Amino acid sequence: MKVLKFGGTSVANAQNIKLVLEIVQNQAKQDQLIVVVSALSKVTDLLQLASLRAASNDESYKEIVADIEKKHLDAVKELIPVSEQSSLLSHIKRIINHLETLLDGCYLLGELSNRTADTVLSFGELLSSYIIAEALKQNFKSSSYKDSRELIKTNNNFGKAAVNFNVTDKLIADFFTSNESQVVVMPGFISSSIDGINTTLGRGGSDYTAAIMAGALDVTDLEIWTDVNGMFTANPKIVKQAQPIASISYQEAMELSHFGAKVLFPPTIQPVLRKNIPIHIKNTFEPKAEGTYISNQSISNGQPVKGISHIENITLITLEGPGMIGVSGSSKRLFEVLSLEEINVIFITQASSEHSICIGILNEDAEAAEAVINKAFEIEILQHKVDPCIVEKNLCIIALVGENMKNHQGLSGKMFSTLGKNNVNIRAIAQGASERNISAVINQRDVKKALNTLHERFFEDNTKQLNLFVMGVGNVGEKFIDQINQQKKFLKENLKINLRVIALSNSRKMIFDEDGIDLKAWQVAIDNGDAANPELFIKKVKNLNLRNSIFVDITANEGVSKTYEHFLRQSVAVVTCNKIACSSAFENYKNLKSLSRRYNAPFLFETNVGAGLPIIDTVKNLVASGDKVNKIQAVLSGSLNFIFNNFDKNNPFDQVVKEAGVQGFTEPDPKIDLSGIDVARKILILIRESGYEMEIEEIENQSFLPAACIETTNNEDFFKSLIEHAAHFEGILATANEKESRLKFVAQFENGKASVGLQFIPKDHPFYNLEGKDNIVLFYTDRYVDQPLLIKGAGAGAAVTASGIFADVIRIGNV
């Protein structure tokens, strides 16, 4: 014999019920079956809503009853031939009339007792089970209906009645001894007290009904049919990478169901555990799927953690004070008053000093718990021996569950370090001596991030998902997106990094997609996006609260650079090619570095100097290894190097500058490059990364531009000014030719002083043969005294800058 239970989604409508009937008829060919069914999907919620509205003198309860009636009549009309419908429709109408009478009474009295509520809620299962039993008889004659209230007897604890197993088991055994039907259909969830009053087994109690039947009859299998392929490694609605668990022990299943796994009602396991009856969780809509097999054995397959679960809407209550230390009975008094108020304690932890006790309860019980605890310890509170209890609401409990966790060292460390890296603050920790469960209390807003982060760590082959929020999709931004799209597969397969672009923004539009933007069609998507709004952009990043979030700034905008602090404080890493932040006031630079360390959020800006060249990384490594940078000489502007390498008598200065812009070597405002401020910012960043404190104003800028060029306010006027002062630039070129030198814009630092300016470089200088848009940096250090450490290569261009940004993102992925 088997027991099959079908949940609300499995019997949501006639179409789904037909699938249930097919499953039952196929199995009935081999086994005698008990089929336990829930109410049609959402009907129990509607019944509860109708009763509350009736008790509140809201006549709209009648509309809800009409909706409930229609749902069931529609199902009958699709499942039962017209010629067979009459008696069944009359039966349904009688039940609905009874329901209306009860609700009319609630309306007239203006109240809803727990006893009446149980009776009202029982109508869902009574209706669905009777319809399904009649539908089954159409094609399977050896079937019958039995009201489970006649077999399952309980106390009078309405809403969640306790089963009297001595009486119940005998009634079940006696009935099935004489039953000759191959299939018996029964309503789940409902029961009755010894004196015949309607009771219920708690929401989700249909699973429990099935388990009670299975345990009483010592059946071969209990099958729970639902709308998912078994128990998952995490809630698949929150963790999209969650996987079905093939095999799990009773104890593991109890832990997971206790901590919020909705597939299984927590008490279900108890009646079958003592009889060692396996539970098989199956999907009504994919009956051939393997599902989850629950038994007294757990197959680990080398994986110590079986699942990650959570309970939301938790309040943490802390009772502490010196008067608790060494005083026996404090815990007893605490839990006794909570028990008297029927407040369920979900989580407990106590420091070994006995100075404090932390408990976790549901938010809805918080006010009552606070009042009774403070009342119980009123004298100690007045004497300042114990503090009034501390109440923290809107928290969540997350739990790692696994039978074999006790055999693996370091799981707690992995769990907490993984959460810490994503700035998930842990409020309390509990781990039982069995080591089957490690629980932690966190802020509810962090639950999605925490579950995904832990699932990634324990179940996804250490693949790390990086969520990118990109601002600036011009030349460099476009190349960056193209590079991600090109390399996504390679990164996932070889570096175990899964890149997703969650947001894109330019100066006009922005788009967000939590599941990742399609990088093959992002231009069309952003054209149809929302209006760009930096404040709203920051707010959305914060609200999404995704793990491994990275803000990528590919602008030259000062306003954007001022947002870094907001991101770092949210543990969102920042990758930027925008030089403004790191060349701003030293206090701001230092603050950003400090925030990065404090919130464990990388702040990387390799492309600030030398585009894709590893210049800043080299400086960091020198300083970290104990070396000291004493002198820096560098050509740091690829755009200026390109300009002066191509400026000659055949190519006017203004035309070469325009060409540099076309090639993507200059900033959108070329005056930033030609004025020397861009180079000043770069050398300042190198100086600071070398361990020195300096402000931008301290750098001597020996500008080669005439004052009139510098004073222009837009690009059109700037280029006109370059043409007007063509003789000035030709004079500089002539001087260089006379000296047999080449023009290079050089940045220098030595003895605490720095300067930038155009220099005439002789043939024997390392800078003389620097071609195209290349950069070069010479570091003179304690270790590199006579021969400097030299870095040379392309220092401008959209592709190389994008690759430098990409490299910083990958660095974060490898942390």
Side-chain angles (χ1 to χ4, degrees):
M1 180 182 281
K2 285 185 178 181
V3 178
L4 278 61
K5 177 264 175 180
F6 292 91
T9 51
S10 297
V11 295
N13 49 49
Q15 183 179 355
N16 291 4
I17 291 172
K18 288 175 183 178
L19 297 175
V20 169
L21 296 176
E22 184 179 348
I23 292 167
V24 171
Q25 289 174 55
N26 287 336
Q27 292 213 25
K29 294 173 184 177
Q30 297 178 334
D31 297 292
Q32 188 177 5
L33 303 179
I34 300 170
V35 177
V36 177
V37 298
S38 297
L40 271 59
S41 182
K42 307 297 182 185
V43 166
T44 306
D45 290 335
L46 290 173
L47 288 166
Q48 187 173 47
L49 180 61
S51 61
L52 292 172
R53 288 190 179 177
S56 302
N57 298 119
D58 182 346
E59 290 192 3
S60 65
Y61 75 90
K62 296 179 181 179
E63 297 172 9
I64 298 173
V65 173
D67 186 24
I68 293 170
E69 182 178 11
K70 184 177 183 302
K71 278 178 179 288
H72 292 88
L73 294 179
D74 287 346
V76 170
K77 290 170 184 176
E78 282 195 57
L79 292 168
I80 309 294
V82 175
S83 59
E84 305 286 333
Q85 288 179 8
S86 179
S87 61
L88 180 54
L89 292 175
S90 297
H91 180 80
I92 291 171
K93 189 61 182 176
R94 284 195 299 274
I95 293 176
I96 294 295
N97 288 340
H98 186 192
L99 172 62
E100 287 177 330
T101 301
L102 280 173
L103 293 175
D104 289 343
C106 293
Y107 178 81
L108 293 171
L109 293 171
E111 68 176 16
L112 177 68
S113 68
N114 290 337
R115 174 176 170 173
T116 302
D118 265 11
T119 300
V120 170
L121 293 181
S122 71
F123 282 91
E125 272 74 11
L126 289 173
L127 286 165
S128 67
S129 60
Y130 201 83
I131 291 170
I132 291 168
E134 290 299 310
L136 182 61
K137 287 178 184 177
Q138 301 303 311
N139 295 308
F140 197 87
K141 300 303 180 183
S142 183
S143 61
S144 61
Y145 173 80
K146 182 63 177 176
D147 189 337
S148 54
R149 291 176 296 181
E150 298 173 13
L151 302 179
I152 300 178
K153 297 298 178 179
T154 69
N155 63 10
N156 286 324
N157 184 16
F158 300 105
K160 196 172 184 181
V163 177
N164 184 327
F165 280 98
N166 290 331
V167 175
T168 296
D169 287 353
K170 186 175 188 309
L171 287 171
I172 294 171
D174 290 346
F175 171 77
F176 281 97
T177 298
S178 59
N179 172 63
E180 295 181 356
S181 299
Q182 187 71 3
V183 180
V184 177
V185 179
M186 304 175 63
F189 173 58
I190 61 175
S191 49
S192 67
S193 63
I194 298 295
D195 49 358
I197 300 169
N198 287 339
T199 58
T200 61
L201 302 175
R203 294 297 295 268
S206 292
D207 287 353
Y208 194 25
T209 302
I212 292 166
M213 294 293 163
L217 298 170
D218 200 8
V219 301
T220 56
D221 289 281
L222 167 59
E223 294 182 359
I224 307 290
W225 289 83
T226 181
D227 58 353
V228 292
N229 291 333
M231 299 188 85
F232 278 66
T233 48
N235 186 336
K237 293 179 180 178
I238 299 176
V239 181
K240 294 187 177 177
Q241 291 79 25
Q243 310 145 15
I245 304 170
S247 172
I248 193 170
S249 71
Y250 292 124
Q251 289 76 16
E252 289 170 328
M254 280 192 288
E255 293 280 3
L256 285 174
S257 60
H258 172 72
F259 281 96
K262 305 297 184 186
V263 177
L264 196 64
F265 184 56
T268 302
I269 296 168
Q270 294 294 347
V272 295
L273 175 61
R274 63 177 184 264
K275 298 286 185 70
N276 196 22
I277 299 167
I279 303 172
H280 206 169
I281 300 174
K282 300 278 285 179
N283 189 343
T284 305
F285 308 102
E286 291 184 47
K288 293 184 179 178
E290 185 178 3
T292 298
Y293 191 76
I294 305 171
S295 65
N296 61 358
Q297 291 184 334
S298 174
I299 301 171
S300 68
N301 295 324
Q303 175 57 265
V305 178
K306 268 298 175 71
I308 307 165
S309 200
H310 72 290
I311 309 175
E312 296 183 348
N313 302 313
I314 293 295
T315 292
L316 196 64
I317 294 183
T318 304
L319 184 68
E320 63 181 12
M324 294 174 61
I325 300 173
V327 177
S328 61
S330 297
S331 299
K332 174 181 177 296
R333 291 167 61 194
L334 172 65
F335 295 115
E336 191 170 59
V337 294
L338 293 173
S339 175
L340 292 172
E341 286 292 314
E342 296 186 352
I343 295 171
N344 184 35
V345 177
I346 302 168
F347 176 98
I348 305 168
T349 183
Q350 182 174 15
S352 58
S353 66
E354 300 182 21
H355 182 263
S356 67
I357 303 174
C358 270
I359 60 168
I361 60 174
L362 294 174
N363 282 343
E364 60 197 50
D365 294 326
E367 291 183 11
E370 181 181 16
V372 297
I373 293 171
N374 285 339
K375 180 68 176 176
F377 290 87
E378 185 176 15
I379 295 174
E380 289 89 342
I381 292 171
L382 289 172
Q383 294 175 345
H384 303 291
K385 292 181 178 179
V386 174
D387 299 328
C389 61
I390 302 166
V391 179
E392 300 170 84
K393 289 186 177 181
N394 301 319
L395 302 173
C396 174
I397 300 173
I398 54 172
L400 291 188
V401 173
E403 190 71 39
N404 294 305
M405 285 166 49
K406 58 190 174 187
N407 299 321
H408 288 75
Q409 295 180 341
L411 285 177
S412 299
K414 288 180 183 178
M415 177 182 181
F416 300 132
S417 65
T418 300
L419 294 174
K421 286 178 180 177
N422 274 274
N423 200 37
V424 176
N425 187 35
I426 297 172
R427 298 292 302 110
I429 299 166
Q431 181 173 10
S434 69
E435 298 185 41
R436 191 182 292 124
N437 172 333
I438 306 171
S439 304
V441 179
I442 63 172
N443 289 325
Q444 190 151 310
R445 68 178 298 272
D446 289 329
V447 66
K448 183 175 182 179
K449 185 201 296 189
L451 290 175
N452 277 278
T453 300
L454 290 173
H455 195 273
E456 184 178 81
R457 179 68 181 85
F458 289 103
F459 292 102
E460 296 175 37
D461 194 25
N462 284 330
T463 297
K464 192 172 188 178
Q465 182 171 289
L466 303 183
N467 297 299
L468 308 186
F469 301 84
V470 182
M471 190 170 283
V473 285
N475 289 338
V476 177
E478 186 173 341
K479 294 290 185 185
F480 175 64
I481 295 167
D482 288 345
Q483 289 174 9
I484 292 175
N485 192 36
Q486 177 186 323
Q487 291 298 109
K488 274 191 76 171
K489 185 178 179 182
F490 174 86
L491 292 175
K492 195 167 185 177
E493 291 177 353
N494 294 276
L495 299 183
K496 302 298 182 186
I497 294 173
N498 181 25
L499 280 183
R500 295 194 315 173
V501 177
I502 305 299
L504 290 172
S505 177
N506 57 26
S507 59
R508 297 176 297 103
K509 297 280 188 175
M510 66 181 188
I511 52 172
F512 278 77
D513 187 338
E514 189 175 349
D515 295 326
I517 294 167
D518 181 357
L519 299 186
K520 294 179 181 177
W522 67 269
Q523 290 98 332
V524 175
I526 200 167
D527 286 342
N528 296 307
D530 299 325
N533 184 325
E535 291 182 3
L536 183 58
F537 190 96
I538 295 170
K539 186 177 180 181
K540 284 195 170 187
V541 175
K542 180 179 178 181
N543 289 341
L544 283 173
N545 196 25
L546 299 178
R547 68 194 187 281
N548 306 323
S549 292
I550 304 174
F551 173 63
V552 183
D553 178 14
I554 315 179
T555 74
N557 186 288
E558 183 176 3
V560 175
S561 74
K562 291 179 178 179
T563 66
Y564 298 169
E565 179 176 349
H566 299 288
F567 289 113
L568 294 172
R569 287 185 182 277
Q570 296 299 320
S571 291
V572 176
V574 174
V575 170
T576 178
C577 62
N578 186 344
K579 294 173 278 292
I580 295 175
C582 289
S583 59
S584 62
F586 184 78
E587 280 302 313
N588 183 55
Y589 162 82
K590 192 167 79 171
N591 180 50
L592 293 176
K593 289 274 198 169
S594 174
L595 290 172
S596 172
R597 291 189 295 271
R598 179 179 175 185
Y599 292 99
N600 197 32
F603 175 41
L604 301 181
F605 42 90
E606 183 64 68
T607 49
N608 276 196
V609 182
L613 295 175
I615 298 173
I616 291 175
D617 196 47
T618 299
V619 173
K620 287 180 178 178
N621 290 334
L622 286 173
V623 173
S625 67
D627 203 355
K628 181 183 178 184
V629 177
N630 301 310
K631 178 181 176 181
I632 304 172
Q633 284 186 309
V635 174
L636 295 173
S637 174
S639 54
L640 286 175
N641 200 41
F642 175 87
I643 289 167
F644 287 113
N645 280 337
N646 289 278
F647 174 39
D648 56 31
K649 61 182 180 180
N650 298 318
N651 295 293
F653 189 74
D654 66 292
Q655 291 301 313
V656 177
V657 174
K658 280 186 178 179
E659 180 60 23
V662 171
Q663 296 285 341
F665 299 151
T666 66
E667 299 287 350
D669 178 2
K671 190 168 64 175
I672 294 174
D673 295 278
L674 272 70
S675 67
I677 185 62
D678 188 61
V679 175
R681 286 171 177 161
K682 290 176 179 178
I683 190 67
L684 177 64
I685 292 167
L686 289 183
I687 292 166
R688 288 175 171 177
E689 289 297 300
S690 298
Y692 298 92
E693 182 175 339
M694 183 175 282
E695 302 290 356
I696 192 77
E697 296 80 12
E698 297 176 59
I699 298 174
E700 182 184 357
N701 188 346
Q702 302 157 354
S703 177
F704 65 89
L705 289 177
C709 295
I710 295 173
E711 290 166 3
T712 57
T713 57
N714 57 64
N715 284 359
E716 185 180 353
D717 289 345
F718 179 68
F719 279 105
K720 284 181 181 177
S721 179
L722 293 183
I723 295 170
E724 290 170 1
H725 294 84
H728 168 76
F729 301 112
E730 289 167 1
I732 295 173
L733 179 61
T735 303
N737 290 336
E738 288 173 8
K739 295 184 175 183
E740 296 184 344
S741 300
R742 298 183 75 177
L743 292 169
K744 303 293 176 187
F745 199 87
V746 178
Q748 297 186 120
F749 170 73
E750 187 175 13
N751 297 324
K753 294 184 178 181
S755 65
V756 297
L758 194 61
Q759 293 186 14
F760 301 102
I761 302 298
K763 291 181 179 179
D764 59 349
H765 196 281
F767 294 172
Y768 184 85
N769 292 314
L770 195 65
E771 299 296 335
K773 59 184 183 297
D774 284 0
N775 281 188
I776 187 169
V777 183
L778 306 179
F779 289 109
Y780 294 86
T781 73
D782 286 353
R783 296 172 188 159
Y784 295 89
V785 181
D786 299 322
Q787 294 295 325
L789 175 61
L790 184 151
I791 302 171
K792 178 183 176 182
V800 292
T801 303
S803 69
I805 296 167
F806 202 168
D808 275 348
V809 169
I810 293 170
R811 281 190 186 93
I812 293 173
N814 286 329
V815 171

